[in-house]
């Protein structure tokens, strides 16, 4: 009887766990849809800034701006590492953080690599690794970062770059390909890298349409380039969060399926134990009756 009680207790515990993981899966799915919706809504704005910037840079005119001009000597490199605030999302966080460590280790010895950590998991991971230099930490970004959070982060990074404290800025994030696939990646945001199409058009001096800008191209770029950095960082924040929600949804789905399989196995074990008990009782009754004869 004690064995059957233990099995029933385990079945009840696993059933409760299954309810929790199933609820977490649905919550993550809802957060993923919301984040993806925000990402889709931001995309036209980001694409239009990219289009205007590419057109200005393809006009054959050279612009002297720190946003575009690489430093002659790169001494300090800043890596913005975007991880999650919570766990229970499979290997999402650890894969990203290991990739960030690999990027830091690949930095040449004559260059100084620093990190700006986004998320509690990144802070906890690198807090116990003093060999890596941490510039600052942004935590509790939330499930769906808003524009003001992205703007605050980009303003911080742009100020460090323009003040000369850092010479390059790279973002380490998880590229969201699907709910099942998030790929740790790195993207350079400062100085801004000109697209190949813009560079080729600039070399040939040919553009499809010749616009007249008022005010001039330099004045427009002074406004557009910071906004381009803002939109780039915000988009990568959203993409990382979408990857986190997708990874958590997948992990909770697997946990729910595993709980169902475990319940089936425990139920089978309970039925076998009950059958064995009944068989034993029948045997004892038959044996007792035979003894009385």
């Amino acid at each position: 009887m004690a064995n059957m009680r233990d099995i029933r207790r385990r079945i009840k515990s696993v059933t409760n766990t299954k309810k929790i993981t199933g609820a977490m899966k649905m919550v993550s799915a809802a957060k993923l849809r919301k984040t993806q919706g925000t990402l889709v809504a931001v995309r036209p704005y980001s694409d239009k800034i990219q289009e205007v910037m590419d057109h200005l840079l393809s006009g054959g005119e050279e612009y002297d701006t720190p946003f575009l001009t690489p430093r002659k000597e790169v001494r300090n490199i800043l890596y913005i590492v975007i991880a999650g605030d919570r766990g229970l999302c499979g290997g999402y966080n650890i894969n990203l953080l290991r990739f960030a460590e690999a990027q830091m280790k690949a930095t040449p010895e004559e260059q100084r690599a620093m990190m700006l950590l986004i998320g509690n998991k990144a802070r906890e991971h690198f807090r116990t690794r003093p060999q890596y230099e941490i510039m600052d930490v942004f935590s509790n970004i939330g499930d769906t970062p808003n524009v003001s959070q992205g703007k605050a982060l980009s303003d911080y990074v742009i100020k460090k770059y323009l003040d000369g404290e850092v010479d390059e800025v790279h973002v380490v994030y998880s590229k969201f390909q699907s709910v099942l696939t998030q790929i740790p990646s790195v993207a350079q945001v400062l100085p801004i890298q000109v697209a190949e199409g813009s560079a080729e058009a600039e070399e040939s001096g040919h553009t499809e349409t010749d616009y007249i800008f008022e005010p001039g191209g330099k004045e427009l770029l002074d406004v557009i380039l910071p906004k381009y950095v803002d939109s780039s960082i915000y988009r990568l924040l959203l993409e990382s969060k979408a990857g986190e929600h997708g990874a958590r949804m997948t992990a909770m789905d697997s946990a729910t399926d595993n709980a169902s399989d475990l319940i089936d196995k425990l139920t089978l074990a309970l039925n076998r134990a009950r059958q064995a008990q009944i068989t034993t009782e029948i045997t004892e009754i038959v044996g007792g009756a035979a003894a009385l004869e």
Side-chain angles (χ1 to χ4, degrees), residues 6-18 263 266:
D6 291 341
I7 295 175
R8 289 192 180 97
R9 190 179 298 112
R10 286 198 64 191
I11 291 175
K12 184 178 179 180
S13 175
V14 175
T15 301
N16 292 335
T17 302
K18 179 182 175 182
I263 290 172
L266 290 172

Side-chain angles (χ1 to χ4, degrees), residues 180-193:
L180 298 174
T181 307
Q182 302 85 31
I183 302 176
S185 307
V186 60
Q188 180 176 321
V189 293
L190 284 171
I192 299 172
Q193 294 181 309

Side-chain angles (χ1 to χ4, degrees), residues 98-117:
R98 285 175 179 170
F99 180 78
E101 285 190 37
Q103 294 297 314
M104 298 287 288
K105 292 176 181 177
T107 305
E109 294 183 0
E110 63 272 12
Q111 295 176 342
R112 175 188 176 195
M114 299 172 287
M115 288 187 296
L116 176 60
L117 304 180

Side-chain angles (χ1 to χ4, degrees), residues 29-177:
K31 291 178 179 178
L32 175 60
R33 285 194 296 270
K34 182 179 179 182
T35 305
Q36 283 183 309
T38 306
L39 186 59
V40 170
V42 167
R43 193 168 293 155
Y45 173 80
S46 179
D47 291 344
K48 182 55 67 174
I49 289 183
Q50 177 79 54
E51 179 184 336
V52 175
M53 186 186 73
D54 288 346
H55 185 80
L56 284 169
L57 296 177
S58 64
E61 183 178 351
E62 293 186 1
Y63 298 98
D64 184 16
T65 169
F67 286 95
L68 296 172
T69 306
R71 302 281 167 84
K72 294 181 179 180
E73 186 176 2
V74 178
R75 293 180 176 273
N76 302 313
I77 301 177
L78 176 63
Y79 290 94
I80 305 175
V81 182
I82 306 177
D85 285 321
R86 293 177 288 117
L88 296 177
C89 50
Y92 171 84
N93 285 312
I94 191 62
N95 291 337
L96 176 74
L97 296 172
R98 285 175 179 170
F99 180 78
E101 285 190 37
Q103 294 297 314
M104 298 287 288
K105 292 176 181 177
T107 305
E109 294 183 0
E110 63 272 12
Q111 295 176 342
R112 175 188 176 195
M114 299 172 287
M115 288 187 296
L116 176 60
L117 304 180
I118 310 296
N120 293 326
K121 288 299 179 180
R123 180 188 61 188
E124 293 171 3
H125 180 82
F126 287 105
R127 182 176 55 187
T128 58
R129 292 165 172 80
Q131 67 268 33
Y132 301 112
E133 183 177 352
I134 300 174
M135 176 178 285
D136 208 338
V137 178
F138 284 67
S139 57
N140 298 319
I141 295 294
D143 294 320
T144 304
N146 54 47
V147 176
S148 61
Q149 290 174 321
K151 184 70 166 59
L153 177 59
S154 65
D155 286 346
Y156 178 91
V157 171
I158 288 173
K159 185 178 186 303
K160 294 291 184 182
Y161 179 74
L162 295 180
D163 289 346
E165 296 186 38
V166 296
D167 301 313
E168 283 185 3
V169 179
H170 301 263
V171 179
V172 179
Y173 71 105
S174 288
K175 182 183 292 185
F176 180 78
Q177 287 196 332

Side-chain angles (χ1 to χ4, degrees), residues 24-38 86 142-145 238 241-242 244-246 248-249:
M24 292 183 66
K25 173 190 171 183
M26 291 188 291
V27 170
S28 296
K31 291 178 179 178
L32 175 60
R33 285 194 296 270
K34 182 179 179 182
T35 305
Q36 283 183 309
T38 306
R86 293 177 288 117
D143 294 320
T144 304
L238 289 173
K241 279 297 178 180
E244 179 185 351
H245 296 320
R248 184 171 291 112
M249 187 178 74

